[in-house]
Amino acid sequence: MTTFLYSLFTFTLFSTCVFAAPPPLEGFLPNGNFEEPPKATDIKKTVLIGKHALPKWEISGLVEYIHGGPQPGGMYFPVAHGVHAVRLGNEATISQTIAVNSGSLYAVTFGASRTCAQEEVLRVSVPPQSGDLPLQTLYSSDGGDVYAYGFKANSTSVRLTFHNPGVQEDPQCGPLIDAVAIKELLPPRPTRFNLVKNGGFEEGPHRLFNSSNGVLLPPRQEDITSPLPGWIIESLKAVKFIDNKHFNVPSGLAAIELVAGRESAIAQILRTVPNKLYMLSFVIGDAKNGCHGDMMVEAFAAKDTLKAPFKSEGKGKSKTVSMKFKAISARTRVTFYSSYYHTRADDFGSLCGPVIDEVKVIGVRA
């Protein structure tokens, strides 16, 4: 009996060790903040020499390890989330292999900015997925823009690559990356009380602890790989994922700020019953971040439209609005965007806009 119990315990322990999935990932990648410096033999001035010169990363092409602040030649490189960053020259890449759970959804959060006024692009790839992130638009005047990129893992390890695909005339130009983190995301589900998945925006990308600008969710990311689970970022510009630590959030831990007018939109496709009546409601407000003025969020569902005005005094106020709509098919797209463009009253270089939260759709009687 003792031998049997011992064997059962050993098998259980072995099974747990071998077959248990790794815990959910969240936080910086190894040397994700680039504060572990290269060896003196692996760098010449600022240029990294050799494939493994940047600890924990692989590099190719002209990659510079830079210290934030004024640079030789009169340039200034903002490093908003630490002291050091990497700059990618023409066709340069940095990459890292990450252990993940196959089939899970992930979001990579990273600080990125352009170094020149030219149209710089940062390509982010986790094969077979790849996306080009235009850095021309500055959402924060201090250069502290933080982005998130979503992907679905198709194996137990993936290779994350940042690539500068452009050929700049000035060799001093090229994207800066100053922090890289990751988070495993939980797939949201609709409920009896709300057909909208992740309607409170509680599930979203990792928020850098030393960033107060929120996380930009780049456009054209479909719901299956969006860093905002359940939602499609279907606009020309990014929307901003904000938290209650640095912004006023109407409910819970997080919300969405529509920071680029009609170019900044989110959508979700709901399962509905044709000809059935539904009630759409959501909260509109301001993030208490100096965004003043007359705001308006336009919401669309089936053939119905709601224009929700909100006069912001920058004090973090909010209100709930609603409309009824009739489904015309088994799938109904719900879309939100801001009617106007706004900048912060204390910083005209920082884009801002209305906040939406607590999006709900329920069936109602006629």
Side-chain angles (χ1 to χ4, degrees), residues 77-347:
F77 288 164
V79 178
H81 310 104
V83 179
H84 294 95
V86 294
R87 188 188 73 82
L88 303 182
N90 292 332
E91 294 292 349
T93 67
I94 63 169
S95 59
Q96 187 174 132
T97 300
I98 311 165
V100 292
N101 291 320
S102 181
S104 292
L105 178 65
Y106 291 86
V108 177
T109 302
F110 52 95
S113 60
R114 58 179 171 85
T115 53
C116 301
Q118 302 174 35
E119 293 188 8
E120 296 180 10
V121 171
L122 180 63
R123 180 169 295 163
V124 186
S125 63
V126 179
Q129 297 169 217
S130 179
D132 285 0
L133 180 70
L135 300 178
Q136 188 65 19
T137 300
L138 294 179
Y139 294 86
S140 303
S141 61
D142 63 357
D145 286 344
V146 176
Y147 293 87
Y149 178 80
F151 69 90
K152 189 173 184 180
N154 59 4
S155 65
T156 55
S157 68
V158 297
R159 190 163 186 81
L160 169 67
T161 300
F162 295 98
H163 174 213
N164 174 11
V167 179
Q168 307 291 341
E169 295 179 7
D170 187 344
Q172 294 287 329
C173 296
L176 280 180
I177 306 172
D178 70 346
V180 185
I182 193 170
K183 180 182 177 183
E184 184 175 350
L185 301 171
L186 299 176
R189 297 282 185 264
T191 68
R192 281 174 41 200
F193 309 103
N194 191 4
L195 297 181
V196 178
K197 295 177 290 185
N198 198 21
F201 308 110
E202 297 299 283
E203 188 67 18
H206 176 80
R207 298 177 289 278
L208 300 179
F209 73 92
N210 55 353
S211 172
S212 60
N213 287 331
V215 182
L216 294 164
L217 310 182
R220 303 296 173 89
Q221 297 204 49
E222 296 299 318
D223 54 350
I224 194 170
T225 56
S226 166
L228 188 64
W231 292 91
I232 303 168
I233 317 301
E234 65 171 13
S235 47
L236 296 174
K237 297 286 177 67
V239 301
K240 184 177 285 188
F241 181 70
I242 61 174
D243 63 356
N244 64 356
K245 182 178 179 181
H246 301 100
F247 300 86
N248 186 78
V249 170
S251 177
L253 301 175
I256 289 295
E257 185 181 14
L258 302 173
V259 292
R262 291 172 178 257
E263 297 178 282
S264 189
I266 61 171
Q268 186 169 142
I269 300 173
L270 312 180
R271 291 177 180 268
T272 51
V273 177
N275 297 315
K276 182 177 175 62
L277 197 63
Y278 293 88
M279 176 73 76
L280 164 66
S281 65
F282 63 95
V283 177
I284 176 175
D286 71 89
K288 201 176 180 180
N289 60 346
C291 207
H292 293 252
D294 292 319
M295 299 179 173
M296 184 178 291
V297 170
E298 296 188 42
F300 304 86
K303 293 183 177 181
D304 294 282
T305 302
L306 171 65
K307 294 186 176 182
F310 179 79
K311 188 171 182 63
S312 172
E313 298 174 348
K315 296 181 180 179
K317 294 182 178 180
S318 62
K319 67 178 184 180
T320 300
V321 295
S322 62
M323 77 168 182
K324 291 181 179 179
F325 70 91
K326 180 182 285 188
I328 56 177
S329 69
R331 298 287 186 275
T332 298
R333 178 183 291 265
V334 178
T335 304
F336 301 88
Y337 67 69
S338 171
S339 302
Y340 311 128
Y341 293 83
H342 303 273
T343 57
R344 283 169 39 187
D346 59 344
D347 183 358

